[in-house]
Amino acid sequence: EGSWYKVVGFNPNYDCYACQRNTFSAPQNGNELQVDVEFSMPRLLPDGSPPPPENKRESIALSGDGMTLAGSKSIGLNDYATHETMVFDSAEGRKAGTDLVMKKKSTQEEVSYARTAHSEGEMFGLKFWENWYI
């Protein structure tokens, strides 16, 4: 449980959005986690350049601990959020073809990792399925 920031992943088109935060919470069913994902994406003009700053005043204040600023938003980013339910796989119910196979750098030996959970969600109006290896 708690919030984690995703800083690296196998697919840069999905895994590495700016400030991507995954917040996990456990419902009553011990086989699932609820996952709330928040991330930002650049807002670009048709020519690929960032938009000019807006002439709006930000409301910025010190956070409760007095150490960080709260309320400041990055210029040129759109905030998005999605929700997933992560379901943990049982050893007996593993699906064929869901193992992650990688090669060790030093020996080029193949190593197989079993998928431990899966989820589905919706992003930008498209449904996606995600395998988790924990």
Side-chain angles (χ1 to χ4, degrees):
E1 287 187 300
S3 293
W4 297 77
Y5 288 88
K6 193 182 286 188
V7 296
V8 70
F10 287 112
N11 185 345
N13 294 323
Y14 174 74
D15 289 333
C16 299
Y17 289 125
C19 303
Q20 183 174 346
R21 180 174 61 188
N22 293 338
T23 303
F24 300 90
S25 57
Q28 299 300 326
N29 178 353
N31 192 39
E32 296 178 351
L33 280 179
Q34 299 303 309
V35 185
D36 290 300
V37 182
E38 300 167 315
F39 58 95
S40 299
M41 290 183 63
R43 180 177 57 234
L44 303 175
L45 297 175
D47 68 355
S49 64
E54 296 177 3
N55 193 18
K56 292 182 183 175
R57 179 180 218 137
E58 285 187 327
S59 175
I60 300 173
L62 285 175
S63 64
D65 63 7
M67 301 297 290
T68 56
L69 288 177
S72 179
K73 299 241 185 219
S74 297
I75 295 173
L77 292 176
N78 287 328
D79 293 328
Y80 294 92
T82 188
H83 177 81
E84 306 172 33
T85 298
M86 180 192 301
V87 179
F88 287 93
D89 298 333
S90 65
E92 318 67 64
R94 285 187 43 218
K95 291 176 97 177
T98 59
D99 285 359
L100 176 65
V101 179
M102 302 181 76
K103 290 186 178 186
K104 290 184 180 179
K105 285 184 180 179
S106 57
T107 63
Q108 293 299 308
E109 173 189 358
E110 285 191 351
V111 181
S112 179
Y113 299 94
R115 181 183 85 176
T116 50
H118 60 280
S119 64
E120 69 177 53
E122 190 173 304
M123 196 162 106
F124 313 121
L126 301 172
K127 183 175 260 190
F128 65 86
W129 295 269
E130 187 170 12
N131 293 323
W132 293 78
Y133 299 85
I134 302 170

